């Protein structure tokens, strides 16, 4: 992901020299998405509003709204701001009638994440349970089913239901392995290790490989993925 961020910066600079404002914005949006995952939240929050303005000036209002959801996600991660879920709902309402199902489902991931970070664990648990059920018909290997189950596992742990959380962690890891998603395997490993610690259980050896080796190789510093358990 560090390499990807370097390449997106390079693409943005190249397109800027060509005067292609919208493609510059596209490269910068992809860059900011990666930076949230890497934990570079201050830069996302500082530079994101300019990107919103660029898209709005070009009449790309859906893209401007997508950047707003990314900004809210970064603010939620950095500040755990309790007002973020309400702001996220307003932005998502403006997008509800547009875009395809997959895009809307990826936005639902962001909505559930900010619920967790704002301390609204019960609401997150309800939303994540419904979302995990909703994502079951995606094909094997798609990112959304494993992400949805991991969200549910995290929300269950935040609500204190550790036994069910571990069961969902196991299901999420199985999906992540089957789909070949190493980042999701790392995210699930972090959640499962923290839940096991709360139950007085030692970490699993395979999870420690993901945490100590694979997370570092991918550059994942913004962990645990969602919330301190």
């Amino acid at each position: 992901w560090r390499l990807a961020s370097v390449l997106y910066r390079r693409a943005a600079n190249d397109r800027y020299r060509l005067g292609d404002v919208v493609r510059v914005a596209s490269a910068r949006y992809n860059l900011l998405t990666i930076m949230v995952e890497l934990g570079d939240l201050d830069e996302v929050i500082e530079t994101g509003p300019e990107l919103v303005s660029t898209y709005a000036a070009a009449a790309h209002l859906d893209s401007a709204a997508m950047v707003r959801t990314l900004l809210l996600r970064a603010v939620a991660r950095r500040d755990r701001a309790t007002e973020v879920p309400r702001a996220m709902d307003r932005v998502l309402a403006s997008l509800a009638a547009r875009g395809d199902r997959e895009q809307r489902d990826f936005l639902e991931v962001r909505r559930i994440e900010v619920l967790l970070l704002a301390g609204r664990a019960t609401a997150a648990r309800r939303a994540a349970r419904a979302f995990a059920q909703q994502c079951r018909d995606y094909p094997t290997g798609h990112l959304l089913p494993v992400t949805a189950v991991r969200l549910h596992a995290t929300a269950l742990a935040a609500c204190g239901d550790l036994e069910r959380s571990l069961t969902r962690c196991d299901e999420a890891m199985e999906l992540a392995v089957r789909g070949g998603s190493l980042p999701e395997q790392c995210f699930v490993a972090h959640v499962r290790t923290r839940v096991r610690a709360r139950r007085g259980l030692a970490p699993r050896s395979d999870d420690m490989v993901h945490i100590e080796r694979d997370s570092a190789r991918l550059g994942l510093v913004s962990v645990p993925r969602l919330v301190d358990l």
Side-chain angles (χ1 to χ4, degrees):
W1 282 359
R2 287 292 179 193
L3 175 58
S5 69
V6 170
L7 294 177
Y8 275 126
R9 285 185 192 277
R10 186 180 301 164
N13 290 336
D14 289 345
R15 288 166 177 171
Y16 179 80
R17 285 195 292 270
L18 294 173
D20 192 338
V21 176
V22 174
R23 289 186 179 273
V24 169
S26 177
R28 289 183 60 199
Y29 174 75
N30 288 325
L31 171 63
L32 294 186
T33 301
I34 292 172
M35 290 170 65
V36 172
E37 304 299 345
L38 294 175
D40 297 330
L41 304 177
D42 289 340
E43 185 173 351
V44 174
I45 292 167
E46 289 169 6
T47 62
E50 180 185 348
L51 187 53
V52 171
S53 298
T54 299
Y55 273 130
H60 288 243
L61 301 184
D62 284 4
S63 296
M66 291 288 288
V67 178
R68 289 191 184 97
T69 69
L70 188 64
L71 278 168
L72 289 168
R73 189 177 179 214
V75 170
R77 284 200 184 190
R78 189 187 71 177
D79 302 334
R80 305 296 170 96
T82 56
E83 71 276 7
V84 168
R86 189 172 300 137
M88 179 70 83
D89 285 343
R90 287 196 297 269
V91 176
L92 295 185
S94 72
L95 290 166
R98 300 189 294 275
D100 58 20
R101 175 203 168 182
E102 186 179 47
Q103 181 188 67
R104 292 194 300 270
D105 284 346
F106 275 113
L107 289 173
E108 180 66 2
V109 170
R110 296 182 182 181
R111 187 180 78 86
I112 296 171
E113 180 180 18
V114 300
L115 284 173
L116 282 163
L117 290 169
R120 295 177 56 185
T122 301
R125 182 190 63 196
R126 287 196 299 265
R129 179 182 178 181
F131 184 53
Q133 183 70 25
Q134 174 183 318
C135 289
R136 291 178 64 180
D137 61 347
Y138 278 101
T140 299
H142 198 286
L143 185 61
L144 278 167
V146 59
T147 303
V149 176
R150 172 175 53 76
L151 284 165
H152 191 210
T154 307
L156 286 166
C159 290
D161 193 343
L162 304 183
E163 188 68 32
R164 289 180 64 204
S165 176
L166 283 179
T167 298
R168 292 300 261 170
C169 282
D170 293 344
E171 294 170 5
M173 185 62 81
E174 181 180 348
L175 288 169
V177 170
R178 192 187 311 161
S181 174
L182 184 57
E184 276 295 339
Q185 291 173 48
C186 294
F187 296 146
V188 175
H190 278 279
V191 174
R192 185 162 61 182
T193 296
R194 291 185 177 239
V195 176
R196 287 177 65 88
R198 285 182 60 185
R199 293 198 64 215
L201 301 173
R204 294 172 49 127
S205 59
D206 53 344
D207 284 345
M208 292 310 297
V209 170
H210 288 313
I211 291 169
E212 295 178 350
R213 185 194 69 190
D214 296 333
S215 291
R217 181 158 61 90
L218 291 170
L220 303 178
V221 298
S222 185
V223 290
R225 169 84 165 161
L226 292 174
V227 64
D228 293 329
L229 298 175

